[in-house]
Amino acid sequence: MAAVGTWAFSEPAVDRLRCLISAGRHATDAVEEALAEVENDPETGHHIVGRGGFPNSGGVLECDAAIMEGRAGRFGAVAALRGVGSPVHVARRVMDRSPHSLLVGEGAVAFAKEQGFTVEPNDSMLTAHSTQAYQEYVDKQQRVSGHDTLGLIALDNMGNITVGVSTSGAPFKSPGRVGDSPLPGCGLYAENMVGAAAGDGDKIMCYCPSFHVVQLMKQGSSPSDACQAVLDGIIRRTSPDRCFEIGLIALNMKGEVGAASSVEFPYTCWNQDKASVEKRTNRPHSILSDGGGNRK
């Protein structure tokens, strides 16, 4: 059994995963529940996840979420979903009950209503903090900084591995914008007998990093080596001086965890040999740099 999450604010969620899978819960149920608790907490909105997150340029909060099991064909996602405090619940229903894999915008809202979810008015999705930040953006074009994706991976005691992600997206984004997070192979990927990966970074979409990390683990790479190899490949393609922000985490079926990033990247992890969740920080390192940290 093991679990890992992106960014330092994932610690309570990874601890929740620890409790749930230690009690025998399925990895999918554990990931869904742990993600939903963070999504629906207005206090974590400043991390740009779920309720209390920053709205789009029109003042409306739109959320993306996805969940993927290691079993073939088990994936569900929503994007630009309005009015639902825990979008991962809707993503799970897409996986379990819809003939489709990804629903967006009005279609995602209609599906949520069909499945019995309450769709709330936009005002109840925002907090005083996010409303004030939006007004400052309107009045002064003042931007905010923060991390815009929570990614969680869990491996349960039955050998099931599941990954989930959630985000309210880039602050003050264009209405209808869909980022990398809910797209399989980009923001998340899982394969039984191999492992799973999750990525964060607004420009990672066209590189499918999560898929590539899992494929490298399938060929025998450790999670750490797989994440670093994928990052180095992206750096080569974009040029070292222009690489965008990206963070990757991975977990294999042995419970081994790895990460790589182009920025300082705190993450949290746990496995069955540990009594509590561990905090780690990945600092940028690349085979494209020399021993002094200078780019080759």
Side-chain angles (χ1 to χ4, degrees):
M1 298 181 292
V4 60
T6 55
W7 305 110
F9 76 91
S10 69
E11 184 181 5
V14 172
D15 191 55
R16 186 66 175 148
L17 289 177
R18 177 188 65 82
C19 294
L20 292 170
I21 60 179
S22 294
R25 294 287 296 277
H26 192 286
T28 300
D29 296 333
V31 167
E32 179 186 6
E33 185 171 323
L35 263 179
E37 289 179 2
V38 176
E39 289 176 325
N40 208 31
D41 182 354
E43 294 304 312
T44 57
H46 66 279
H47 294 296
I48 321 185
V49 175
R51 186 185 299 275
F54 298 105
N56 63 25
S57 61
V60 178
L61 182 65
E62 295 182 326
C63 295
D64 303 344
I67 193 163
M68 186 174 193
E69 294 181 347
R71 287 190 292 160
R74 293 283 292 163
F75 171 81
V78 290
L81 174 65
R82 302 180 176 187
V84 178
S86 297
V88 70
H89 285 323
V90 186
R92 174 75 185 272
R93 293 289 182 88
V94 172
M95 181 173 73
D96 288 344
R97 301 185 183 181
S98 173
H100 309 298
S101 296
L102 171 63
L103 296 174
V104 179
E106 293 181 3
V109 171
F111 176 80
K113 290 179 178 178
E114 289 170 5
Q115 294 298 312
F117 291 96
T118 299
V119 176
E120 303 176 41
N122 187 62
D123 287 348
S124 70
M125 297 293 294
L126 301 176
T127 61
H129 174 71
S130 58
T131 300
Q132 179 182 352
Y134 175 69
Q135 195 58 51
E136 290 175 352
Y137 164 74
V138 171
D139 295 341
K140 307 174 185 177
Q141 292 296 297
Q142 183 173 323
R143 295 281 181 174
V144 297
S145 60
H147 309 305
D148 66 353
T149 301
L150 173 61
L152 297 176
I153 307 172
L155 173 65
D156 67 25
N157 61 8
M158 296 167 283
N160 302 300
I161 193 163
T162 299
V163 56
V165 296
S166 182
T167 179
S168 55
F172 322 129
K173 62 191 177 183
S174 297
R177 175 263 192 187
V178 177
D180 58 278
S181 299
L183 303 183
C186 301
L188 73 169
Y189 196 77
E191 185 174 335
N192 268 1
M193 310 305 293
V194 182
D200 186 7
D202 191 41
K203 298 180 181 180
I204 70 175
M205 190 183 300
C206 61
Y207 298 96
C208 297
S210 296
F211 173 80
H212 283 297
V213 167
V214 173
Q215 294 309 298
L216 287 175
M217 291 195 296
K218 191 174 185 177
Q219 295 168 18
S221 294
S222 69
S224 293
D225 288 345
C227 288
Q228 190 62 54
V230 170
L231 175 63
D232 285 333
I234 293 173
I235 291 173
R236 286 191 184 96
R237 294 178 65 185
T238 58
S239 84
D241 297 332
R242 292 200 298 268
C243 187
F244 47 85
E245 292 188 3
I246 176 174
L248 298 169
I249 57 170
L251 174 66
N252 66 14
M253 303 305 288
K254 299 177 184 178
E256 298 170 335
V257 170
S261 60
S262 62
V263 295
E264 188 167 289
F265 179 48
Y267 63 101
T268 65
C269 57
W270 168 83
N271 66 40
Q272 63 190 34
D273 297 326
K274 298 175 182 176
S276 60
V277 174
E278 178 184 355
K279 300 176 184 177
R280 297 182 181 178
T281 299
N282 185 84
R283 291 178 172 81
H285 166 74
S286 172
I287 61 171
L288 301 180
S289 65
D290 61 27
N294 301 308
R295 296 291 187 186
K296 289 184 180 179

